[in-house]
PDB file of all heavy atoms in Angstrom:
ATOM      1  N   VAL D 130       4.378   5.968  14.806  1.00  0.00           N
ATOM      2  CA  VAL D 130       4.138   5.668  13.392  1.00  0.00           C
ATOM      3  C   VAL D 130       3.215   4.451  13.315  1.00  0.00           C
ATOM      4  O   VAL D 130       3.518   3.397  13.865  1.00  0.00           O
ATOM      5  CB  VAL D 130       5.453   5.377  12.637  1.00  0.00           C
ATOM      6  CG1 VAL D 130       5.168   5.079  11.173  1.00  0.00           C
ATOM      7  CG2 VAL D 130       6.413   6.551  12.761  1.00  0.00           C
ATOM      8  N   HIS D 131       2.088   4.632  12.648  1.00  0.00           N
ATOM      9  CA  HIS D 131       1.105   3.570  12.450  1.00  0.00           C
ATOM     10  C   HIS D 131       1.062   3.261  10.961  1.00  0.00           C
ATOM     11  O   HIS D 131       1.283   4.147  10.128  1.00  0.00           O
ATOM     12  CB  HIS D 131      -0.284   4.027  12.903  1.00  0.00           C
ATOM     13  CG  HIS D 131      -0.294   4.657  14.261  1.00  0.00           C
ATOM     14  ND1 HIS D 131      -0.459   3.942  15.415  1.00  0.00           N
ATOM     15  CD2 HIS D 131      -0.130   5.953  14.642  1.00  0.00           C
ATOM     16  CE1 HIS D 131      -0.421   4.755  16.451  1.00  0.00           C
ATOM     17  NE2 HIS D 131      -0.208   5.987  16.006  1.00  0.00           N
ATOM     18  N   THR D 132       0.747   2.025  10.622  1.00  0.00           N
ATOM     19  CA  THR D 132       0.679   1.636   9.224  1.00  0.00           C
ATOM     20  C   THR D 132      -0.645   0.948   8.926  1.00  0.00           C
ATOM     21  O   THR D 132      -1.145   0.171   9.732  1.00  0.00           O
ATOM     22  CB  THR D 132       1.829   0.682   8.862  1.00  0.00           C
ATOM     23  OG1 THR D 132       1.835  -0.413   9.780  1.00  0.00           O
ATOM     24  CG2 THR D 132       3.173   1.397   8.915  1.00  0.00           C
ATOM     25  N   ALA D 133      -1.197   1.264   7.768  1.00  0.00           N
ATOM     26  CA  ALA D 133      -2.406   0.601   7.280  1.00  0.00           C
ATOM     27  C   ALA D 133      -2.108   0.104   5.874  1.00  0.00           C
ATOM     28  O   ALA D 133      -1.683   0.875   5.013  1.00  0.00           O
ATOM     29  CB  ALA D 133      -3.593   1.568   7.255  1.00  0.00           C
ATOM     30  N   VAL D 134      -2.317  -1.184   5.658  1.00  0.00           N
ATOM     31  CA  VAL D 134      -2.137  -1.755   4.330  1.00  0.00           C
ATOM     32  C   VAL D 134      -3.418  -2.460   3.915  1.00  0.00           C
ATOM     33  O   VAL D 134      -4.111  -3.044   4.757  1.00  0.00           O
ATOM     34  CB  VAL D 134      -0.940  -2.732   4.256  1.00  0.00           C
ATOM     35  CG1 VAL D 134       0.366  -2.003   4.541  1.00  0.00           C
ATOM     36  CG2 VAL D 134      -1.110  -3.920   5.167  1.00  0.00           C
ATOM     37  N   LEU D 135      -3.716  -2.392   2.647  1.00  0.00           N
ATOM     38  CA  LEU D 135      -4.888  -3.085   2.147  1.00  0.00           C
ATOM     39  C   LEU D 135      -4.665  -4.591   2.169  1.00  0.00           C
ATOM     40  O   LEU D 135      -5.547  -5.349   2.544  1.00  0.00           O
ATOM     41  CB  LEU D 135      -5.223  -2.615   0.725  1.00  0.00           C
ATOM     42  CG  LEU D 135      -6.445  -3.259   0.085  1.00  0.00           C
ATOM     43  CD1 LEU D 135      -7.696  -3.047   0.935  1.00  0.00           C
ATOM     44  CD2 LEU D 135      -6.645  -2.701  -1.318  1.00  0.00           C
ATOM     45  N   VAL D 136      -3.450  -5.018   1.786  1.00  0.00           N
ATOM     46  CA  VAL D 136      -3.151  -6.441   1.679  1.00  0.00           C
ATOM     47  C   VAL D 136      -1.836  -6.763   2.381  1.00  0.00           C
ATOM     48  O   VAL D 136      -0.846  -6.051   2.207  1.00  0.00           O
ATOM     49  CB  VAL D 136      -3.049  -6.871   0.192  1.00  0.00           C
ATOM     50  CG1 VAL D 136      -2.618  -8.323   0.063  1.00  0.00           C
ATOM     51  CG2 VAL D 136      -4.362  -6.642  -0.536  1.00  0.00           C
ATOM     52  N   ASP D 137      -1.832  -7.834   3.140  1.00  0.00           N
ATOM     53  CA  ASP D 137      -0.611  -8.382   3.734  1.00  0.00           C
ATOM     54  C   ASP D 137      -0.384  -9.734   3.069  1.00  0.00           C
ATOM     55  O   ASP D 137      -1.225 -10.628   3.164  1.00  0.00           O
ATOM     56  CB  ASP D 137      -0.762  -8.540   5.247  1.00  0.00           C
ATOM     57  CG  ASP D 137       0.527  -8.974   5.937  1.00  0.00           C
ATOM     58  OD1 ASP D 137       1.547  -9.176   5.251  1.00  0.00           O
ATOM     59  OD2 ASP D 137       0.501  -9.118   7.169  1.00  0.00           O
ATOM     60  N   LYS D 138       0.732  -9.845   2.367  1.00  0.00           N
ATOM     61  CA  LYS D 138       1.043 -11.098   1.677  1.00  0.00           C
ATOM     62  C   LYS D 138       1.632 -12.091   2.662  1.00  0.00           C
ATOM     63  O   LYS D 138       2.563 -11.774   3.400  1.00  0.00           O
ATOM     64  CB  LYS D 138       2.011 -10.843   0.519  1.00  0.00           C
ATOM     65  CG  LYS D 138       2.126 -12.020  -0.438  1.00  0.00           C
ATOM     66  CD  LYS D 138       3.114 -11.774  -1.554  1.00  0.00           C
ATOM     67  CE  LYS D 138       2.555 -10.889  -2.630  1.00  0.00           C
ATOM     68  NZ  LYS D 138       3.482 -10.822  -3.795  1.00  0.00           N
ATOM     69  N   GLU D 139       1.083 -13.308   2.668  1.00  0.00           N
ATOM     70  CA  GLU D 139       1.491 -14.341   3.614  1.00  0.00           C
ATOM     71  C   GLU D 139       2.713 -15.107   3.105  1.00  0.00           C
ATOM     72  O   GLU D 139       2.629 -15.848   2.134  1.00  0.00           O
ATOM     73  CB  GLU D 139       0.334 -15.312   3.852  1.00  0.00           C
ATOM     74  CG  GLU D 139      -0.886 -14.648   4.467  1.00  0.00           C
ATOM     75  CD  GLU D 139      -2.066 -15.587   4.567  1.00  0.00           C
ATOM     76  OE1 GLU D 139      -2.280 -16.415   3.652  1.00  0.00           O
ATOM     77  OE2 GLU D 139      -2.798 -15.487   5.577  1.00  0.00           O
ATOM     78  N   HIS D 140       3.842 -14.871   3.772  1.00  0.00           N
ATOM     79  CA  HIS D 140       5.077 -15.611   3.512  1.00  0.00           C
ATOM     80  C   HIS D 140       6.052 -15.311   4.634  1.00  0.00           C
ATOM     81  O   HIS D 140       5.778 -14.468   5.491  1.00  0.00           O
ATOM     82  CB  HIS D 140       5.677 -15.278   2.140  1.00  0.00           C
ATOM     83  CG  HIS D 140       5.990 -13.830   1.942  1.00  0.00           C
ATOM     84  ND1 HIS D 140       6.938 -13.145   2.680  1.00  0.00           N
ATOM     85  CD2 HIS D 140       5.472 -12.913   1.090  1.00  0.00           C
ATOM     86  CE1 HIS D 140       7.000 -11.891   2.275  1.00  0.00           C
ATOM     87  NE2 HIS D 140       6.107 -11.718   1.328  1.00  0.00           N
ATOM     88  N   ALA D 141       7.179 -15.986   4.623  1.00  0.00           N
ATOM     89  CA  ALA D 141       8.177 -15.828   5.688  1.00  0.00           C
ATOM     90  C   ALA D 141       9.383 -14.998   5.243  1.00  0.00           C
ATOM     91  O   ALA D 141      10.453 -15.119   5.806  1.00  0.00           O
ATOM     92  CB  ALA D 141       8.638 -17.214   6.154  1.00  0.00           C
ATOM     93  N   ARG D 142       9.212 -14.115   4.257  1.00  0.00           N
ATOM     94  CA  ARG D 142      10.328 -13.335   3.728  1.00  0.00           C
ATOM     95  C   ARG D 142      10.266 -11.858   4.114  1.00  0.00           C
ATOM     96  O   ARG D 142      10.809 -11.013   3.404  1.00  0.00           O
ATOM     97  CB  ARG D 142      10.369 -13.444   2.200  1.00  0.00           C
ATOM     98  CG  ARG D 142      10.593 -14.825   1.660  1.00  0.00           C
ATOM     99  CD  ARG D 142      10.737 -14.836   0.134  1.00  0.00           C
ATOM    100  NE  ARG D 142       9.772 -14.003  -0.554  1.00  0.00           N
ATOM    101  CZ  ARG D 142       8.534 -14.391  -0.889  1.00  0.00           C
ATOM    102  NH1 ARG D 142       8.102 -15.592  -0.590  1.00  0.00           N
ATOM    103  NH2 ARG D 142       7.726 -13.571  -1.534  1.00  0.00           N
ATOM    104  N   LYS D 143       9.624 -11.512   5.220  1.00  0.00           N
ATOM    105  CA  LYS D 143       9.544 -10.107   5.609  1.00  0.00           C
ATOM    106  C   LYS D 143      10.953  -9.565   5.842  1.00  0.00           C
ATOM    107  O   LYS D 143      11.855 -10.287   6.271  1.00  0.00           O
ATOM    108  CB  LYS D 143       8.701  -9.929   6.879  1.00  0.00           C
ATOM    109  CG  LYS D 143       7.242 -10.392   6.753  1.00  0.00           C
ATOM    110  CD  LYS D 143       6.447  -9.611   5.744  1.00  0.00           C
ATOM    111  CE  LYS D 143       4.966  -9.954   5.811  1.00  0.00           C
ATOM    112  NZ  LYS D 143       4.310  -9.995   4.540  1.00  0.00           N
ATOM    113  N   ALA D 144      11.137  -8.300   5.557  1.00  0.00           N
ATOM    114  CA  ALA D 144      12.453  -7.668   5.672  1.00  0.00           C
ATOM    115  C   ALA D 144      12.983  -7.716   7.102  1.00  0.00           C
ATOM    116  O   ALA D 144      14.189  -7.829   7.312  1.00  0.00           O
ATOM    117  CB  ALA D 144      12.378  -6.220   5.195  1.00  0.00           C
ATOM    118  N   ARG D 145      12.078  -7.608   8.068  1.00  0.00           N
ATOM    119  CA  ARG D 145      12.433  -7.695   9.477  1.00  0.00           C
ATOM    120  C   ARG D 145      11.409  -8.592  10.158  1.00  0.00           C
ATOM    121  O   ARG D 145      10.219  -8.516   9.839  1.00  0.00           O
ATOM    122  CB  ARG D 145      12.394  -6.310  10.134  1.00  0.00           C
ATOM    123  CG  ARG D 145      13.252  -5.295   9.424  1.00  0.00           C
ATOM    124  CD  ARG D 145      13.381  -3.985  10.189  1.00  0.00           C
ATOM    125  NE  ARG D 145      12.168  -3.229  10.339  1.00  0.00           N
ATOM    126  CZ  ARG D 145      12.059  -1.930  10.028  1.00  0.00           C
ATOM    127  NH1 ARG D 145      13.081  -1.281   9.525  1.00  0.00           N
ATOM    128  NH2 ARG D 145      10.933  -1.288  10.233  1.00  0.00           N
ATOM    129  N   PRO D 146      11.839  -9.409  11.094  1.00  0.00           N
ATOM    130  CA  PRO D 146      10.895 -10.312  11.744  1.00  0.00           C
ATOM    131  C   PRO D 146       9.772  -9.597  12.492  1.00  0.00           C
ATOM    132  O   PRO D 146       8.685 -10.121  12.633  1.00  0.00           O
ATOM    133  CB  PRO D 146      11.749 -11.130  12.714  1.00  0.00           C
ATOM    134  CG  PRO D 146      13.137 -10.621  12.609  1.00  0.00           C
ATOM    135  CD  PRO D 146      13.206  -9.571  11.544  1.00  0.00           C
ATOM    136  N   ASP D 147      10.027  -8.361  12.945  1.00  0.00           N
ATOM    137  CA  ASP D 147       9.021  -7.618  13.706  1.00  0.00           C
ATOM    138  C   ASP D 147       8.138  -6.724  12.827  1.00  0.00           C
ATOM    139  O   ASP D 147       7.299  -5.993  13.329  1.00  0.00           O
ATOM    140  CB  ASP D 147       9.716  -6.749  14.759  1.00  0.00           C
ATOM    141  CG  ASP D 147      10.602  -5.671  14.136  1.00  0.00           C
ATOM    142  OD1 ASP D 147      11.102  -5.871  13.010  1.00  0.00           O
ATOM    143  OD2 ASP D 147      10.806  -4.634  14.794  1.00  0.00           O
ATOM    144  N   LEU D 148       8.310  -6.777  11.518  1.00  0.00           N
ATOM    145  CA  LEU D 148       7.577  -5.882  10.622  1.00  0.00           C
ATOM    146  C   LEU D 148       6.159  -6.403  10.387  1.00  0.00           C
ATOM    147  O   LEU D 148       5.960  -7.426   9.737  1.00  0.00           O
ATOM    148  CB  LEU D 148       8.313  -5.735   9.283  1.00  0.00           C
ATOM    149  CG  LEU D 148       7.706  -4.729   8.311  1.00  0.00           C
ATOM    150  CD1 LEU D 148       7.704  -3.325   8.919  1.00  0.00           C
ATOM    151  CD2 LEU D 148       8.483  -4.728   7.010  1.00  0.00           C
ATOM    152  N   LYS D 149       5.205  -5.683  10.976  1.00  0.00           N
ATOM    153  CA  LYS D 149       3.796  -6.012  10.821  1.00  0.00           C
ATOM    154  C   LYS D 149       3.042  -4.698  10.673  1.00  0.00           C
ATOM    155  O   LYS D 149       3.398  -3.702  11.311  1.00  0.00           O
ATOM    156  CB  LYS D 149       3.267  -6.756  12.043  1.00  0.00           C
ATOM    157  CG  LYS D 149       3.844  -8.139  12.242  1.00  0.00           C
ATOM    158  CD  LYS D 149       3.280  -8.788  13.493  1.00  0.00           C
ATOM    159  CE  LYS D 149       3.741 -10.193  13.730  1.00  0.00           C
ATOM    160  NZ  LYS D 149       5.055 -10.549  13.374  1.00  0.00           N
ATOM    161  N   ALA D 150       2.016  -4.687   9.851  1.00  0.00           N
ATOM    162  CA  ALA D 150       1.187  -3.494   9.738  1.00  0.00           C
ATOM    163  C   ALA D 150       0.244  -3.429  10.934  1.00  0.00           C
ATOM    164  O   ALA D 150      -0.218  -4.462  11.431  1.00  0.00           O
ATOM    165  CB  ALA D 150       0.396  -3.522   8.436  1.00  0.00           C
ATOM    166  N   ASP D 151      -0.049  -2.222  11.388  1.00  0.00           N
ATOM    167  CA  ASP D 151      -0.973  -2.039  12.508  1.00  0.00           C
ATOM    168  C   ASP D 151      -2.410  -2.322  12.088  1.00  0.00           C
ATOM    169  O   ASP D 151      -3.204  -2.830  12.878  1.00  0.00           O
ATOM    170  CB  ASP D 151      -0.864  -0.606  13.048  1.00  0.00           C
ATOM    171  CG  ASP D 151       0.526  -0.306  13.559  1.00  0.00           C
ATOM    172  OD1 ASP D 151       0.956  -0.964  14.520  1.00  0.00           O
ATOM    173  OD2 ASP D 151       1.192   0.578  12.980  1.00  0.00           O
ATOM    174  N   PHE D 152      -2.741  -1.982  10.856  1.00  0.00           N
ATOM    175  CA  PHE D 152      -4.090  -2.174  10.330  1.00  0.00           C
ATOM    176  C   PHE D 152      -3.985  -2.899   8.993  1.00  0.00           C
ATOM    177  O   PHE D 152      -3.340  -2.394   8.069  1.00  0.00           O
ATOM    178  CB  PHE D 152      -4.793  -0.832  10.136  1.00  0.00           C
ATOM    179  CG  PHE D 152      -4.802   0.028  11.380  1.00  0.00           C
ATOM    180  CD1 PHE D 152      -3.888   1.049  11.540  1.00  0.00           C
ATOM    181  CD2 PHE D 152      -5.726  -0.206  12.392  1.00  0.00           C
ATOM    182  CE1 PHE D 152      -3.885   1.845  12.677  1.00  0.00           C
ATOM    183  CE2 PHE D 152      -5.735   0.579  13.534  1.00  0.00           C
ATOM    184  CZ  PHE D 152      -4.820   1.605  13.679  1.00  0.00           C
ATOM    185  N   VAL D 153      -4.608  -4.069   8.891  1.00  0.00           N
ATOM    186  CA  VAL D 153      -4.548  -4.890   7.678  1.00  0.00           C
ATOM    187  C   VAL D 153      -5.962  -5.176   7.198  1.00  0.00           C
ATOM    188  O   VAL D 153      -6.805  -5.650   7.968  1.00  0.00           O
ATOM    189  CB  VAL D 153      -3.814  -6.228   7.944  1.00  0.00           C
ATOM    190  CG1 VAL D 153      -3.837  -7.111   6.708  1.00  0.00           C
ATOM    191  CG2 VAL D 153      -2.385  -5.976   8.395  1.00  0.00           C
ATOM    192  N   GLY D 154      -6.198  -4.885   5.924  1.00  0.00           N
ATOM    193  CA  GLY D 154      -7.515  -5.150   5.353  1.00  0.00           C
ATOM    194  C   GLY D 154      -7.723  -6.606   5.009  1.00  0.00           C
ATOM    195  O   GLY D 154      -8.678  -7.239   5.453  1.00  0.00           O
ATOM    196  N   LEU D 155      -6.822  -7.156   4.208  1.00  0.00           N
ATOM    197  CA  LEU D 155      -6.934  -8.519   3.707  1.00  0.00           C
ATOM    198  C   LEU D 155      -5.565  -9.189   3.701  1.00  0.00           C
ATOM    199  O   LEU D 155      -4.543  -8.504   3.677  1.00  0.00           O
ATOM    200  CB  LEU D 155      -7.472  -8.510   2.264  1.00  0.00           C
ATOM    201  CG  LEU D 155      -8.846  -7.885   2.045  1.00  0.00           C
ATOM    202  CD1 LEU D 155      -9.036  -7.537   0.574  1.00  0.00           C
ATOM    203  CD2 LEU D 155      -9.942  -8.816   2.525  1.00  0.00           C
ATOM    204  N   THR D 156      -5.564 -10.497   3.692  1.00  0.00           N
ATOM    205  CA  THR D 156      -4.329 -11.236   3.469  1.00  0.00           C
ATOM    206  C   THR D 156      -4.450 -11.933   2.128  1.00  0.00           C
ATOM    207  O   THR D 156      -5.556 -12.136   1.613  1.00  0.00           O
ATOM    208  CB  THR D 156      -4.061 -12.272   4.582  1.00  0.00           C
ATOM    209  OG1 THR D 156      -5.149 -13.180   4.622  1.00  0.00           O
ATOM    210  CG2 THR D 156      -3.877 -11.591   5.921  1.00  0.00           C
ATOM    211  N   CYS D 157      -3.315 -12.286   1.564  1.00  0.00           N
ATOM    212  CA  CYS D 157      -3.345 -13.028   0.305  1.00  0.00           C
ATOM    213  C   CYS D 157      -2.186 -14.003   0.256  1.00  0.00           C
ATOM    214  O   CYS D 157      -1.200 -13.858   0.982  1.00  0.00           O
ATOM    215  CB  CYS D 157      -3.342 -12.101  -0.905  1.00  0.00           C
ATOM    216  SG  CYS D 157      -1.758 -11.387  -1.316  1.00  0.00           S
ATOM    217  N   VAL D 158      -2.336 -14.970  -0.613  1.00  0.00           N
ATOM    218  CA  VAL D 158      -1.306 -15.972  -0.813  1.00  0.00           C
ATOM    219  C   VAL D 158      -0.093 -15.325  -1.461  1.00  0.00           C
ATOM    220  O   VAL D 158      -0.150 -14.210  -1.969  1.00  0.00           O
ATOM    221  CB  VAL D 158      -1.830 -17.136  -1.694  1.00  0.00           C
ATOM    222  CG1 VAL D 158      -2.937 -17.887  -0.962  1.00  0.00           C
ATOM    223  CG2 VAL D 158      -2.308 -16.627  -3.035  1.00  0.00           C
ATOM    224  N   ASP D 159       1.007 -16.034  -1.450  1.00  0.00           N
ATOM    225  CA  ASP D 159       2.280 -15.535  -1.954  1.00  0.00           C
ATOM    226  C   ASP D 159       2.338 -15.656  -3.476  1.00  0.00           C
ATOM    227  O   ASP D 159       2.997 -16.530  -4.018  1.00  0.00           O
ATOM    228  CB  ASP D 159       3.421 -16.306  -1.289  1.00  0.00           C
ATOM    229  CG  ASP D 159       4.774 -15.697  -1.584  1.00  0.00           C
ATOM    230  OD1 ASP D 159       4.824 -14.545  -2.058  1.00  0.00           O
ATOM    231  OD2 ASP D 159       5.785 -16.382  -1.339  1.00  0.00           O
ATOM    232  N   ARG D 160       1.596 -14.766  -4.131  1.00  0.00           N
ATOM    233  CA  ARG D 160       1.596 -14.686  -5.590  1.00  0.00           C
ATOM    234  C   ARG D 160       1.741 -13.230  -5.987  1.00  0.00           C
ATOM    235  O   ARG D 160       1.621 -12.337  -5.149  1.00  0.00           O
ATOM    236  CB  ARG D 160       0.286 -15.255  -6.155  1.00  0.00           C
ATOM    237  CG  ARG D 160       0.150 -16.760  -5.907  1.00  0.00           C
ATOM    238  CD  ARG D 160      -1.125 -17.319  -6.483  1.00  0.00           C
ATOM    239  NE  ARG D 160      -1.174 -17.158  -7.936  1.00  0.00           N
ATOM    240  CZ  ARG D 160      -2.294 -17.368  -8.646  1.00  0.00           C
ATOM    241  NH1 ARG D 160      -3.411 -17.747  -8.040  1.00  0.00           N
ATOM    242  NH2 ARG D 160      -2.289 -17.211  -9.953  1.00  0.00           N
TER     243      ARG D 160
END
Side-chain angles (χ1 to χ4, degrees):
V130 180
H131 311 271
T132 53
V134 297
L135 181 57
V136 175
D137 186 359
K138 194 182 282 188
E139 298 174 323
H140 58 64
R142 298 185 316 275
K143 299 297 189 218
R145 305 189 295 231
D147 64 332
L148 185 61
K149 293 179 177 35
D151 299 297
F152 306 99
V153 176
L155 300 161
T156 59
C157 77
V158 294
D159 189 15
R160 294 181 62 192

